[in-house]
Amino acid sequence: MTLEEGMQLIIYLLDMGRAIPWADAIVACMDEPMDTGCVVEMTHGMMLGKAVVGWRTDTRTPFGAGSGLTRGGHFFAPFISDVFVTSASVVCASAADFEAENDDLANKLDKAIKAAVASKQGVVCRPSSAQNLILEAAAKLLSGVPEEAMMSDPNVLNKVIENYIAMESELRNVLPERG
């Protein structure tokens, strides 16, 4: 495995096996072109019972009319969202208009996130066997890292890399076989 592939695996495992499972909500921008990573993260969060909020400000309409639920965006985004927020992103005449539009979007998102999180209270989803592999691999990567140091200690990355090097072949089990 190359250094680049190793770093990609670490990022993938920490994202899918730690950040998303521990999050209260997944909030993703679904402007075009949609980021496939965001769609995967939204779906993974949904499958783990997390609150999922998608939002779109894009006025481009590659998938149909600019009206309706998706405003011309791909239909997957609202289907994997508990709440889907759209905002009329138009050319603003002034900085004040731009600020007002952004404030409106921030308020809509705040309300949507609170509603989505509230709707998931008490929801328990069992991870699939594939998700369990990812969760277990992420836990191994973070072995020996104190919870309170996770977000503040710059040495956490050194410990993660040390764990990765020690367990590289075992951690590869979450990857598909190369054909």
Side-chain angles (χ1 to χ4, degrees):
M1 182 174 286
T2 67
L3 177 61
E4 180 180 1
E5 290 169 332
M7 291 306 299
Q8 290 169 349
L9 179 57
I10 289 171
I11 292 167
Y12 172 78
L13 290 174
L14 294 179
D15 184 32
M16 302 296 276
R18 174 70 165 104
I20 292 173
W22 285 47
D24 291 327
I26 312 305
V27 182
C29 178
M30 294 286 97
D31 285 347
E32 298 296 336
M34 276 199 303
D35 182 294
T36 55
C38 283
V39 174
V40 168
E41 291 165 339
M42 290 172 75
T43 303
H44 185 60
M46 179 186 69
M47 299 302 288
L48 291 175
K50 301 299 175 179
V52 178
V53 176
W55 59 282
R56 177 172 160 77
T57 61
D58 201 342
T59 57
R60 295 173 285 177
T61 58
F63 295 99
S67 60
L69 180 63
T70 66
R71 288 191 40 237
H74 197 283
F75 63 89
F76 267 34
F79 288 176
I80 56 177
S81 301
D82 294 300
V83 181
F84 191 72
V85 175
T86 59
S87 179
S89 178
V90 295
V91 177
C92 296
S94 68
D97 288 346
F98 179 76
E99 188 172 321
E101 185 177 318
N102 282 335
D103 286 347
D104 181 57
L105 176 60
N107 289 330
K108 284 181 179 179
L109 286 172
D110 182 58
K111 184 179 176 182
I113 293 165
K114 287 175 181 172
V117 169
S119 76
K120 296 296 182 168
Q121 295 300 316
V123 172
V124 177
C125 293
R126 288 189 162 159
S128 68
S129 58
Q131 288 169 320
N132 271 328
L133 279 176
I134 295 167
L135 296 169
E136 291 166 8
K140 290 175 184 176
L141 268 179
L142 292 168
S143 176
V145 176
E147 183 63 35
E148 63 276 2
M150 199 70 66
M151 299 303 287
S152 60
D153 188 343
N155 294 315
V156 167
L157 183 57
N158 291 334
K159 183 63 178 166
V160 168
I161 292 171
E162 181 183 301
N163 288 344
Y164 172 78
I165 291 169
M167 301 180 241
E168 180 183 356
S169 60
E170 184 180 348
L171 294 172
R172 286 188 196 178
N173 290 333
V174 300
L175 297 174
E177 291 186 28
R178 294 181 185 203

